[in-house]
Amino acid sequence: MTTTRAGNGVAAEAAELARRYAATASGATPAYQRVKDLVTGQIMSGRWREGDALPSESRFVEALGLSRMTVNRALRELAAQGLIRRVMGVGSFVALHKGSSALVEVHNIADEVSARGHRHRTEVRFVREEAAGQETGARFGIGEGTPVFHSQVVHFEDDVAIQLEDRYVHPDFAPGYLEQDFTRRTPFTFLSEVAPLGKGEHVVEAVLPSADECRILRVAASEPCLLIQRRTWSGEALVSVARLLHPGSRYRLMGTFDPR
C-alpha cells in the first residue's frame, strides 16, 4: 500500500534519511552508489514495502545535501534494475512484483490480481453505443455503421495501472452491456454470464504507446508495452474484440508446456 509522508513526519524522515546515508559511507564509494545502497537497504529490510512511495528527488537532495544530478542517477539506475519504478510527473515507488497472465488461457484480470494478494480496481473511461467502422464491422460480420457497444476501462493493481482495455461487443449477444457498472465487476465477468466463453484467440505483440495511452497508463513514450488483441466466441458467434495494452515493466505472459 502506498504510504504518504506529511507534517512532522517530513522532518523526521529527512533526519532518518541523513542518518542512514551517513551509515553507508565506505572508503571511496561514490555518492550516487551510496544513495542506491540506502534505498536498497530500506527496501530489503521491509521498511519500504512493495508499492510504497519513495521520498521525492527534492527531499533526497535536501536531506542528504547532494546535487539533483546525483540523486537522479541513483534513482534511474535503481529503476533500470527493476527495484523501483518511476511514474512521470508522480514520483518513484518500490516496484511491484510483475503481474503474470496465462499465455493461452482467457482469465478475468480481477481474479489474477486477487490471486497475487493485491487489490484490483477499475476506472471506466466510457461505455457507449457507436456505429461500427469498416474494420470492426468486418470482424463481426456486420455492415459498416451497424451499432456496436464500445467500452474503455483501465485496470489497476493496487494503485498502479496495469491494463488499458479497449473492447467492442456485439450487441445481440450482450443485452444490458451499456447499463453495467464496470467499477463493480469487469466486462469479462459480465460477458461470461450472458455469453459463456466457447473459444478465444490471442495475438500478442510489442508496441510503443500513443501519447493518449501514455497519459492514461502514466508511462513514458519510450516504455515498451505488451499488446494482446483478444477475440472471444460464444458457440459459433464472435461476441467480443478487445485490445488489451499493458506496460511492459508491469506485466508479463507465461505458459506451461507438456510434450506428453
Side-chain angles (χ1 to χ4, degrees), residues 9-47:
V10 172
E13 176 191 65
E16 179 67 7
L17 286 174
R19 185 182 69 79
R20 293 191 178 278
Y21 178 73
T24 64
S26 176
T29 304
Y32 80 88
Q33 183 61 52
R34 291 173 61 194
V35 175
K36 290 177 64 177
D37 292 344
L38 164 63
V39 174
T40 301
Q42 293 290 91
I43 294 171
M44 295 306 176
S45 68
R47 284 185 287 268

Side-chain angles (χ1 to χ4, degrees), residues 106-113 120 155 185-189 230:
V106 178
H107 290 302
N108 183 13
I109 190 169
D111 294 338
E112 294 176 358
V113 171
H120 171 266
H155 295 270
R185 58 176 177 170
T186 64
F188 177 91
T189 301
R230 175 187 291 171

Side-chain angles (χ1 to χ4, degrees), residues 201-237:
E201 173 192 86
H202 284 156
V203 177
V204 183
E205 59 183 315
V207 300
L208 289 176
S210 68
D212 192 42
E213 290 164 345
C214 289
R215 179 181 58 81
I216 294 168
L217 294 171
R218 293 186 175 180
V219 296
S222 58
E223 167 91 20
C225 288
L226 184 67
L227 173 62
I228 303 173
Q229 302 206 55
R230 175 187 291 171
R231 296 195 294 170
T232 51
W233 286 260
S234 185
E236 296 302 315

